[in-house]
PDB file of all heavy atoms in Angstrom:
ATOM      1  N   CYS A  10      80.634 109.722  92.441  1.00  0.00           N
ATOM      2  CA  CYS A  10      80.796 110.020  90.840  1.00  0.00           C
ATOM      3  C   CYS A  10      81.438 109.026  90.150  1.00  0.00           C
ATOM      4  O   CYS A  10      81.634 109.244  88.920  1.00  0.00           O
ATOM      5  CB  CYS A  10      81.507 111.457  90.939  1.00  0.00           C
ATOM      6  SG  CYS A  10      83.213 111.190  91.374  1.00  0.00           S
ATOM      7  N   TYR A  13      87.947 107.199  89.772  1.00  0.00           N
ATOM      8  CA  TYR A  13      89.085 106.547  90.482  1.00  0.00           C
ATOM      9  C   TYR A  13      90.283 107.295  90.349  1.00  0.00           C
ATOM     10  O   TYR A  13      90.396 108.192  89.521  1.00  0.00           O
ATOM     11  CB  TYR A  13      89.284 105.013  90.110  1.00  0.00           C
ATOM     12  CG  TYR A  13      89.394 104.817  88.649  1.00  0.00           C
ATOM     13  CD1 TYR A  13      90.479 104.894  87.830  1.00  0.00           C
ATOM     14  CD2 TYR A  13      88.126 104.461  88.003  1.00  0.00           C
ATOM     15  CE1 TYR A  13      90.490 104.660  86.572  1.00  0.00           C
ATOM     16  CE2 TYR A  13      88.222 104.247  86.555  1.00  0.00           C
ATOM     17  CZ  TYR A  13      89.205 104.227  85.822  1.00  0.00           C
ATOM     18  OH  TYR A  13      89.356 103.991  84.500  1.00  0.00           O
ATOM     19  N   TYR A  14      91.183 107.149  91.368  1.00  0.00           N
ATOM     20  CA  TYR A  14      92.415 107.983  91.473  1.00  0.00           C
ATOM     21  C   TYR A  14      93.502 107.001  91.926  1.00  0.00           C
ATOM     22  O   TYR A  14      93.410 106.149  92.711  1.00  0.00           O
ATOM     23  CB  TYR A  14      92.057 108.971  92.642  1.00  0.00           C
ATOM     24  CG  TYR A  14      93.120 109.829  92.999  1.00  0.00           C
ATOM     25  CD1 TYR A  14      93.615 110.803  92.175  1.00  0.00           C
ATOM     26  CD2 TYR A  14      93.766 109.768  94.238  1.00  0.00           C
ATOM     27  CE1 TYR A  14      94.694 111.731  92.633  1.00  0.00           C
ATOM     28  CE2 TYR A  14      94.746 110.647  94.667  1.00  0.00           C
ATOM     29  CZ  TYR A  14      95.212 111.531  93.771  1.00  0.00           C
ATOM     30  OH  TYR A  14      96.205 112.423  94.214  1.00  0.00           O
ATOM     31  N   ALA A  22      92.393 109.714 100.098  1.00  0.00           N
ATOM     32  CA  ALA A  22      91.937 110.565  98.981  1.00  0.00           C
ATOM     33  C   ALA A  22      90.491 111.037  99.302  1.00  0.00           C
ATOM     34  O   ALA A  22      89.741 110.249  99.915  1.00  0.00           O
ATOM     35  CB  ALA A  22      92.154 109.901  97.681  1.00  0.00           C
ATOM     36  N   CYS A  24      87.009 112.887  97.523  1.00  0.00           N
ATOM     37  CA  CYS A  24      86.280 113.266  96.321  1.00  0.00           C
ATOM     38  C   CYS A  24      84.863 113.511  96.675  1.00  0.00           C
ATOM     39  O   CYS A  24      84.382 112.909  97.550  1.00  0.00           O
ATOM     40  CB  CYS A  24      86.392 112.165  95.231  1.00  0.00           C
ATOM     41  SG  CYS A  24      85.658 112.635  93.676  1.00  0.00           S
ATOM     42  N   ASP A  33      91.061  97.327  97.103  1.00  0.00           N
ATOM     43  CA  ASP A  33      92.049  96.225  97.422  1.00  0.00           C
ATOM     44  C   ASP A  33      92.328  95.432  96.161  1.00  0.00           C
ATOM     45  O   ASP A  33      91.794  94.419  95.879  1.00  0.00           O
ATOM     46  CB  ASP A  33      91.329  95.253  98.474  1.00  0.00           C
ATOM     47  CG  ASP A  33      92.365  94.252  98.969  1.00  0.00           C
ATOM     48  OD1 ASP A  33      93.655  94.444  98.825  1.00  0.00           O
ATOM     49  OD2 ASP A  33      91.846  93.151  99.413  1.00  0.00           O
ATOM     50  N   VAL A  34      93.188  96.084  95.286  1.00  0.00           N
ATOM     51  CA  VAL A  34      93.695  95.460  94.099  1.00  0.00           C
ATOM     52  C   VAL A  34      95.097  95.990  93.784  1.00  0.00           C
ATOM     53  O   VAL A  34      95.336  97.031  94.146  1.00  0.00           O
ATOM     54  CB  VAL A  34      92.723  95.800  92.978  1.00  0.00           C
ATOM     55  CG1 VAL A  34      92.715  97.332  92.631  1.00  0.00           C
ATOM     56  CG2 VAL A  34      93.081  95.069  91.641  1.00  0.00           C
ATOM     57  N   PHE A  36      97.860  97.580  91.730  1.00  0.00           N
ATOM     58  CA  PHE A  36      97.709  98.636  90.662  1.00  0.00           C
ATOM     59  C   PHE A  36      97.997  98.073  89.396  1.00  0.00           C
ATOM     60  O   PHE A  36      97.239  98.469  88.348  1.00  0.00           O
ATOM     61  CB  PHE A  36      98.773  99.778  91.026  1.00  0.00           C
ATOM     62  CG  PHE A  36      98.952 100.698  89.948  1.00  0.00           C
ATOM     63  CD1 PHE A  36      98.040 101.696  89.733  1.00  0.00           C
ATOM     64  CD2 PHE A  36     100.065 100.720  89.111  1.00  0.00           C
ATOM     65  CE1 PHE A  36      98.112 102.796  88.721  1.00  0.00           C
ATOM     66  CE2 PHE A  36     100.035 101.708  88.060  1.00  0.00           C
ATOM     67  CZ  PHE A  36      99.150 102.624  87.894  1.00  0.00           C
ATOM     68  N   PHE A  39      94.921  96.343  87.972  1.00  0.00           N
ATOM     69  CA  PHE A  39      93.878  97.305  87.740  1.00  0.00           C
ATOM     70  C   PHE A  39      94.065  97.998  86.440  1.00  0.00           C
ATOM     71  O   PHE A  39      93.189  98.095  85.670  1.00  0.00           O
ATOM     72  CB  PHE A  39      93.713  98.357  88.953  1.00  0.00           C
ATOM     73  CG  PHE A  39      92.480  99.220  88.756  1.00  0.00           C
ATOM     74  CD1 PHE A  39      91.191  98.637  89.185  1.00  0.00           C
ATOM     75  CD2 PHE A  39      92.541 100.513  88.370  1.00  0.00           C
ATOM     76  CE1 PHE A  39      90.137  99.487  89.049  1.00  0.00           C
ATOM     77  CE2 PHE A  39      91.462 101.340  88.360  1.00  0.00           C
ATOM     78  CZ  PHE A  39      90.238 100.796  88.757  1.00  0.00           C
ATOM     79  N   VAL A  40      95.261  98.444  86.216  1.00  0.00           N
ATOM     80  CA  VAL A  40      95.507  99.119  84.942  1.00  0.00           C
ATOM     81  C   VAL A  40      95.572  98.236  83.612  1.00  0.00           C
ATOM     82  O   VAL A  40      95.471  98.816  82.513  1.00  0.00           O
ATOM     83  CB  VAL A  40      96.893  99.973  84.951  1.00  0.00           C
ATOM     84  CG1 VAL A  40      96.678 101.158  85.961  1.00  0.00           C
ATOM     85  CG2 VAL A  40      98.060  99.151  85.139  1.00  0.00           C
ATOM     86  N   ASP A  43      90.432  96.498  80.957  1.00  0.00           N
ATOM     87  CA  ASP A  43      89.962  97.504  80.166  1.00  0.00           C
ATOM     88  C   ASP A  43      88.695  98.222  80.790  1.00  0.00           C
ATOM     89  O   ASP A  43      88.466  97.959  81.895  1.00  0.00           O
ATOM     90  CB  ASP A  43      89.414  96.951  78.741  1.00  0.00           C
ATOM     91  CG  ASP A  43      88.252  95.912  78.926  1.00  0.00           C
ATOM     92  OD1 ASP A  43      87.439  96.014  79.863  1.00  0.00           O
ATOM     93  OD2 ASP A  43      88.162  94.980  78.079  1.00  0.00           O
ATOM     94  N   LEU A  56      79.769  97.385  96.128  1.00  0.00           N
ATOM     95  CA  LEU A  56      78.662  96.710  96.771  1.00  0.00           C
ATOM     96  C   LEU A  56      79.121  95.792  97.942  1.00  0.00           C
ATOM     97  O   LEU A  56      78.214  95.437  98.714  1.00  0.00           O
ATOM     98  CB  LEU A  56      77.827  95.836  95.768  1.00  0.00           C
ATOM     99  CG  LEU A  56      77.164  96.629  94.566  1.00  0.00           C
ATOM    100  CD1 LEU A  56      76.624  95.768  93.588  1.00  0.00           C
ATOM    101  CD2 LEU A  56      76.079  97.661  95.159  1.00  0.00           C
TER     102      LEU A  56
END
Side-chain angles (χ1 to χ4, degrees):
C10 69
Y13 43 91
Y14 175 70
C24 186
D33 187 22
V34 65
F36 172 76
F39 192 76
V40 296
D43 64 27
L56 295 175

